[in-house]
Amino acid sequence: MAAGLAAASTVATPALSEPPDRTPALKKAVVAFNASLLTMRENAASPAPHLEILFDVDGRGDTVPAHHLPSWIKVSLDRHPPKEYSYTDAEWHALAKGGLQLLFTVPAVSGPHTLTVAYKGIDRNGKTYLKTRTLAFTTTQGADHRVLRFRADVNHEPQLTLEAMGASLFQMSSPELQSPASRLGLFAAETGDHGAAAGWFLAAADGKPADRRLDDRFRLAEAYAAIGLPEEAETLLKALLQDTSNPASVARAWMLIERIAFRGGRHAQVLEAYERLGPGLSPEDAGEAHLMAALSALAQRAFPQAATIFRRVPKSGVDGSLALYGQAQALSGLGDGFTAAGLLRKLIDSRSVFDGSRSRVVEHAHAALGFQWTVQGRYEEAVAELAQVPEGHSAYEGAQFGMAWALRQMDEHVQAIAVFQGVVNRFPEGAYAHEARILLAASYADLRAPTRSVKAYRTALDVLGASLAAIDRERATVGSPDWDPLAVRPRTRGGVITGDPAFVPALDRHRWLVRFQRDLRRTTEHFPSDLTAARSGQKTLGSRLHTLDGSQLAGQAQELLQKLDNAVLESRRTLAGLAGEALDREHTRIEEWSVQAVLGIARNLRDEMGGDVLLVD
């Protein structure tokens, strides 16, 4: 019966490991294809004819407040279908930070054009406005880019201007400024489209002097890591380390390597990168670096090292409360429960109504301290702490279960029954519901109320039987050839499938594959006809990208799309297998609980009848 209590006690232990990604070569090939397509289309020596409209925020050196940016924009060019964008907070901040948005691309036609723009926003007086502008311009060259610049801050009325950028997105107006391609990558990365960002940064960084492409290479590494290419990201960063001796750049590179290894659950590599950060780390990054290393040491059960590194995290920083919590966990692992409990108490006493992140950690600390007291047999104190975890908190269900368990150990069976019943009522499909029902029935038996105990056991059996039937239905669903892991949500209790530690990262990889598949299919369906026209083979910009002409590139796209289609099918089969394994494990657990319920009924009937009961229907 302590299994549920043990599970409940792990309220804030990070899940750092995941199964390996088996599709890195395919993802890398798609990114390289996108970069090749971009550089061929934007080849300054012979660009493909096209006209693009881009959206930019003119900060004039100042940080643009995100709330002054448009919440909605509608653009139409000549007779082309208009396009609308409703901006999210992430897109607002991406534009405010210098990102550049590609509104649309159309085939180039020399001559006059009319661009109509409608947009909503908030003026300097805080009032909502709707404005429309009509902008006329003329193109004379085969490839042209026009930038729609938006200007609004507390001292200016909102206004739009339209400016010519030039024939290529890879041209830079000065060595100090980022190329438009880099800024397009920044917008994609900040809004979560890391696959597109990787293509932009790869194309933008290629063929430039090292000092001008350094930032693009950092961002490319971050994009690689975000789409599940950690090895490629680390290779790029280690190559970058060979090209720079600047302490800040060295520290940034090792910091990214540490972060990538941390996300992949490679604890030894996290600690190795941490030791090589050097003196160039900024104070803003130092706390995160210490915290990742300490958590990795904790995961490796290197408790003395973890405790030491946790103490390096600034207590006044955003991670200070989590570091204090982690230090208590490390000391508990060393067997120093007394000091660990003291740190948890210190953390609890530091709660602040003005610091939401600290308050959330404090609530975890209540649960951790309660379980610490439970392990030490100090049940009254355990109940008092677990009762402090508020309803709605992620640890609440586990804390309630632990509190009922402790009450039962104290022989406070009436109170234990009430709390177990509360767990069942509030979380009938929760992670602890089945075990709570079994312990509820056992608590009635402790009170020598066999009739109620048998009734509770039979109720538990009914629910367990229904769960077995749900698992069978779910198994049939995931085994269907039409099952879509991204569209069908599992219906079994407690997130049996979606909470499985192997299924979750595999689902993330599947989501990326589907996104790559969708974007590449859209590209192949609207492949620029100007690129596949008869042209001499031209080398794309830079040294790493292949010499291709448009027809070769189109053929490569079809080959990649076929590989992606096969990979998505294989990924779905893998997910179905993982889901089936998770369901099988839950099926086994339910059968074990069912046996406990049957035995509980037998014991009650035996005690009531004064003899042995060998069989219960």
Side-chain angles (χ1 to χ4, degrees), residues 8-27:
S9 66
T10 58
V11 291
T13 301
L16 302 180
S17 61
E18 61 181 46
D21 189 346
R22 302 187 184 279
T23 57
L26 184 55
K27 290 182 180 179

Side-chain angles (χ1 to χ4, degrees), residues 334-353:
L334 286 170
D336 189 356
F338 179 81
T339 306
L343 288 178
L344 291 172
R345 173 53 58 194
K346 178 180 178 181
L347 177 58
I348 290 169
D349 292 341
S350 71
R351 175 195 286 271
S352 170
V353 295

Side-chain angles (χ1 to χ4, degrees), residues 374-605:
T374 301
V375 170
Q376 297 180 25
R378 298 165 63 174
Y379 299 122
E380 290 186 10
E381 293 165 281
V383 169
E385 290 299 334
L386 293 170
Q388 298 301 313
V389 179
E391 188 171 359
H393 191 270
S394 60
Y396 179 73
E397 182 187 356
Q400 288 290 299
F401 180 87
M403 184 166 62
W405 193 90
L407 286 167
R408 185 165 182 253
Q409 297 301 114
M410 296 164 59
D411 294 329
E412 296 289 347
H413 300 300
V414 174
Q415 294 183 55
I417 287 170
V419 181
F420 279 131
Q421 189 65 61
V423 172
V424 171
N425 291 343
R426 291 189 183 95
F427 309 98
E429 301 294 325
Y432 307 98
H434 285 324
E435 195 164 3
R437 290 186 181 95
I438 299 294
L439 288 171
L440 174 64
S443 296
Y444 276 124
D446 294 334
L447 279 176
R448 299 190 182 279
T451 301
R452 290 193 175 186
S453 180
V454 169
K455 183 180 179 180
Y457 274 127
R458 290 195 181 279
T459 299
L461 274 175
D462 291 341
V463 176
L464 290 165
S467 292
L468 288 174
I471 286 175
D472 290 338
R473 290 193 298 271
E474 197 67 46
R475 188 185 283 111
T477 299
V478 300
S480 168
D482 298 326
W483 180 56
D484 181 357
L486 301 181
V488 180
R489 293 184 178 275
R491 293 177 292 277
T492 47
R493 72 166 195 104
V496 171
I497 295 176
T498 54
D500 182 76
F503 185 87
V504 173
L507 182 63
D508 288 339
R509 290 195 294 272
H510 182 79
R511 185 176 290 108
W512 274 112
L513 279 174
V514 170
R515 185 168 187 170
F516 272 70
Q517 179 194 45
R518 180 200 64 202
D519 292 346
L520 186 58
R521 181 171 284 114
R522 185 186 298 121
T523 299
T524 58
E525 290 172 353
H526 302 88
F527 199 87
S529 58
D530 296 298
L531 287 182
T532 55
R535 306 168 75 196
S536 59
Q538 295 176 2
K539 192 177 189 309
T540 56
L541 299 180
S543 58
R544 290 174 298 173
L545 303 177
H546 297 294
T547 300
L548 293 171
D549 62 23
S551 60
Q552 288 175 309
L553 203 58
Q556 186 183 82
Q558 292 297 333
E559 181 181 349
L560 283 172
L561 187 58
Q562 182 60 52
K563 291 181 178 179
L564 271 173
D565 290 343
N566 294 336
V568 168
L569 289 174
E570 180 60 32
S571 175
R572 190 178 62 78
R573 284 193 289 267
T574 299
L575 284 169
L578 291 170
E581 291 173 3
L583 291 170
D584 288 343
R585 288 191 294 272
E586 181 68 3
H587 194 282
T588 300
R589 283 193 291 268
I590 290 175
E591 287 182 331
E592 291 173 351
W593 283 317
S594 299
V595 169
Q596 292 178 25
V598 169
L599 292 175
I601 293 173
R603 282 192 297 270
N604 276 283
L605 293 178

Side-chain angles (χ1 to χ4, degrees), residues 247-321:
S249 297
V250 169
R252 182 181 177 185
W254 283 114
M255 174 71 178
L256 287 176
I257 292 172
E258 181 187 3
R259 185 183 293 152
I260 292 166
F262 179 79
R263 289 172 179 170
R266 291 175 284 119
H267 311 304
Q269 286 84 350
V270 170
L271 293 168
E272 177 186 352
Y274 174 72
E275 295 298 330
R276 304 184 70 173
L277 286 170
L281 194 65
S282 67
E284 294 77 14
D285 289 336
E288 182 188 358
H290 296 322
L291 186 64
M292 290 188 297
L295 289 171
S296 287
L298 188 63
Q300 288 190 309
R301 304 184 68 81
F303 299 123
Q305 184 180 18
T308 298
I309 301 176
F310 274 127
R311 282 193 286 268
R312 296 174 186 168
V313 179
K315 298 301 182 289
S316 59
V318 294
D319 297 319
S321 55

Side-chain angles (χ1 to χ4, degrees), residues 57-70 96 119 121-127 129 131 149-160:
V57 169
D58 181 8
R60 300 184 186 178
D62 302 324
T63 300
V64 181
H67 64 275
H68 285 287
L69 301 179
Y119 58 102
I122 300 174
D123 64 18
R124 60 183 179 180
N125 297 317
K127 295 182 179 181
Y129 63 81
K131 294 190 175 186
R149 296 194 187 277
F150 179 87
R151 172 69 178 174
D153 62 24
V154 293
N155 297 316
H156 294 80
E157 293 291 341
Q159 56 182 284
L160 288 175

